[in-house]
Amino acid sequence: MSTAEETDGDSAPWAEVTPEAARRLLVAAVDAFAERGYHATTTRDIAGRAGMSPAALYIHYKTKEELLHRISRIGHDRALFVLEAAADGGGTAAERLAEAVRSFVRWHAERHTTARVVQYELDALGEEHRTEIVELRRRSDAVVRRIIGEGVQAGEFDVPDVPGTTLAVLSLCIDVARWFNEQGSRTPDEVGELYAGLVLRMVAAER
Amino acid sequence: MSTAEETDGDSAPWAEVTPEAARRLLVAAVDAFAERGYHATTTRDIAGRAGMSPAALYIHYKTKEELLHRISRIGHDRALFVLEAAADGGGTAAERLAEAVRSFVRWHAERHTTARVVQYELDALGEEHRTEIVELRRRSDAVVRRIIGEGVQAGEFDVPDVPGTTLAVLSLCIDVARWFNEQGSRTPDEVGELYAGLVLRMVAAER
DNA sequence: ACGGACCCTAAGCGCTTGCTCAGGTTCGGG
DNA sequence: CCCGAACCTGAGCAAGCGCTTAGGGTCCGT
């Protein structure tokens, strides 16, 4: 597999961020934001983690908020990519839903540092940037809702409230970013598998 | 029903906080923390919402962190109370689990302002205060795990991974605080009902 | 050898932060 | 009518914030 110009959700995490100094700052910001939260993180802390002086940050980014926006934008793009890949993967609705949950959860667990920033620091974005991100989340919702809707029509699923169940499924997956811990007893793969099973039970017509 | 000295999860929200000036400040802090987050909220903002000068805050609380701790402590106590009431309510494991989810979710929806602070600003607490709160959350976990465990033993439930499913159930409920909106199309009762049904499907032995 | 593009830093500006403190207001009991 | 306790405010301090600016290395093509 080539490492150049990848747009998938996993490999070479921040490869598209250039030049290298800008990437180092962005990675440092992800770590700091995830650890302490956006508002509790200082620009001096970010620059320090990247091994630079506080002023260096402003050569590559106009403001601290722009850093958050870049992180949030790239993160949402990747999470959405993962979801859409599963949705377009073919198979029955159950197979596609299971794969969507499995990979979406795996992303939130494996990359829980990024995911935490992406999912929980949304309010710190400015008006314009936030609406841009909210649109991406609307699309995630649409992807899951479509799979569930198709499963219902095909008679595979029995779901009284499709929008409500969609909300619950996404909520369940997203919250993984909050509690997942690398020192915990479960690998991202195991959590993905567990959750895929639970979600299938939530929508299954019968067993 | 008397309004004096209540300790349940709903009525007379912050009645046990006295004197009245201290309660006004605490309510103002809950609103501010929920809206902007702990770190983005200034002591001037809190005092202003309570109609006092910045200095007044420090007559009733030693630090801004003490305010967060009081909120977090009381909130966790109430949420736990709601859970335990449902768990001790009698009936089959399915009935108790459904009631636990229903009331826990209802609490997180109805009082989502408080719940947001309680569930998402934990990291802003100091070392000692945080470990105190984490203990309360461990007890919430134990309550749900016990119900599910008993359901499995009674043959009512079929759950391959009890700790994992417990985690998922609680995660689902807690995340309600993040997305619930009073202008949304669902009442707290409706969300509670929906979620209770979904959780029962996750654990049911057969249908 | 040298000019200039690029990238970075030291220093610091103006402002806001959490918090303090001396002093004023209010009010019930004697 | 005065006292003392309870409660609150105006003014402000030291520290830390996001961000700016003047200037200095480094390395390229020529």
Side-chain angles (χ1 to χ4, degrees), chain A residues 161 171 175 201-202 204 207, chain B residues 171 175 186 201-202 204 207:
Chain A
D161 180 349
S171 167
D175 201 52
R201 280 160 162 253
M202 292 201 309
R207 281 192 286 128
Chain B
S171 167
D175 201 53
R186 281 164 232 275
R201 282 163 161 252
M202 292 200 309
R207 283 191 286 128

Side-chain angles (χ1 to χ4, degrees), chain B residues 28-192:
Chain B
V30 170
D31 288 347
F33 291 164
E35 229 173 76
R36 311 202 206 295
Y38 175 80
H39 288 292
T41 299
T42 68
T43 54
R44 284 163 176 79
D45 183 17
I46 297 170
R49 286 175 193 242
M52 301 183 199
S53 80
L57 196 152
Y58 293 90
I59 294 160
H60 301 280
Y61 302 94
K62 277 208 293 286
T63 63
K64 177 179 156 189
E65 195 263 358
E66 189 194 323
L67 252 174
L68 177 61
H69 174 239
R70 291 276 287 264
I71 293 167
S72 200
R73 175 71 217 233
I74 296 174
H76 271 95
D77 280 347
R78 294 229 169 120
L80 184 56
F81 178 90
V82 161
L83 253 192
E84 283 176 338
D88 299 343
T92 64
E95 283 164 356
R96 279 177 288 136
L97 182 60
E99 182 55 24
V101 169
R102 195 157 31 222
S103 53
F104 200 55
V105 164
R106 203 166 42 209
W107 189 84
H108 278 81
E110 248 162 23
R111 310 189 50 81
H112 69 277
T113 312
T114 304
R116 212 164 293 178
V117 178
V118 157
Q119 300 291 358
Y120 294 102
E121 302 292 343
L122 222 114
D123 295 343
L125 287 171
E127 186 67 34
E128 286 184 29
H129 288 160
R130 186 168 54 249
T131 57
E132 176 196 335
I133 299 296
V134 165
E135 166 60 18
L136 291 176
R137 310 183 122 239
R138 238 189 29 76
R139 286 173 55 193
S140 299
D141 195 83
V143 169
V144 174
R145 176 154 23 198
R146 208 185 97 236
I147 305 178
I148 294 179
E150 288 171 0
V152 169
Q153 269 197 318
E156 287 182 64
F157 298 161
D158 167 31
V159 177
D161 180 349
V162 173
T165 305
T166 302
L167 185 62
V169 169
L170 277 171
S171 167
L172 193 61
C173 296
I174 286 171
D175 201 53
V176 169
R178 181 178 58 87
W179 61 258
F180 186 82
N181 186 313
E182 266 146 8
Q183 272 85 278
S185 56
R186 281 164 232 275
T187 66
D189 283 316
E190 286 165 356
V191 179

